[in-house]
Amino acid sequence: MKFDRTQIEQEWKKIFKTDLPKHIHKAYAIKYLKWQKENNQLELSLQKQIDKLVDKYAKGISTFTPSLSLEIKTGTKLIREFKGRKYEVIKLDNGYQFNDNVYKSLSAIANEITGTRWNGKKFFGITK
């Protein structure tokens, strides 16, 4: 099945309710249209988000923002050595257990260990 650029542009506008971006190669547009027809259309709001990301990518604008912290799951044991002493903290559903006490945050525990104000996630090496 052969399509010219005009037919592709018309089909694109019909499915995506927007003009075919100029930078998209004809072969890619055909594959994308075929996939879209086979897998139903995306919701218009989701498609607009995708279009914005594609546009930013085409302009060389980074859309990736890496997360600098990890999720701590219940039951995780955090171990930190500080001034020659080993400290262990266990993540609970409602906070963190340290020395038979429950704390709301890692920062509170880090402050108790060091005697100074610390970002708890940084102290335990969970974020950079």
Side-chain angles (χ1 to χ4, degrees):
M1 183 184 288
K2 301 262 183 181
F3 292 103
D4 65 20
R5 183 82 181 180
T6 304
Q7 290 171 314
I8 295 169
E9 288 172 351
Q10 289 170 350
E11 191 67 18
W12 189 277
K13 186 142 189 141
K14 183 175 126 187
I15 291 176
F16 300 113
K17 312 290 189 257
T18 185
D19 292 332
L20 175 66
K22 300 290 182 204
H23 66 277
I24 292 182
H25 190 275
K26 178 181 170 182
Y28 173 77
I30 291 170
K31 285 182 183 181
Y32 194 68
L33 287 168
K34 181 180 175 188
W35 183 91
Q36 199 63 15
K37 286 180 180 181
E38 290 172 359
N39 295 286
N40 295 323
Q41 296 181 20
L42 298 173
E43 289 182 25
L44 188 57
S45 62
L46 180 58
Q47 186 58 52
K48 285 182 180 181
Q49 290 176 346
I50 292 169
D51 292 342
K52 285 180 184 178
L53 290 172
V54 169
D55 188 47
K56 285 182 179 181
Y57 177 78
K59 292 177 182 175
I61 300 170
S62 175
T63 58
F64 177 70
T65 52
S67 172
L68 298 177
S69 66
L70 303 171
E71 179 184 350
I72 306 168
K73 296 187 180 193
T74 300
T76 301
K77 183 185 279 189
L78 303 170
I79 301 172
R80 167 71 201 268
E81 187 176 322
F82 182 74
K83 293 189 177 182
R85 185 166 171 211
K86 184 170 125 180
Y87 297 93
E88 294 183 9
V89 174
I90 298 175
K91 172 67 170 109
L92 306 173
D93 287 330
N94 62 337
Y96 301 88
Q97 181 181 353
F98 173 67
N99 285 347
D100 298 323
N101 294 317
V102 177
Y103 294 81
K104 289 183 181 181
S105 70
L106 288 173
S107 295
I109 297 169
N111 293 344
E112 183 172 315
I113 292 170
T114 65
T116 59
R117 294 181 78 57
W118 267 87
N119 176 307
K121 289 185 176 183
K122 284 185 180 179
F123 181 79
F124 285 98
I126 297 166
T127 188
K128 294 183 179 186

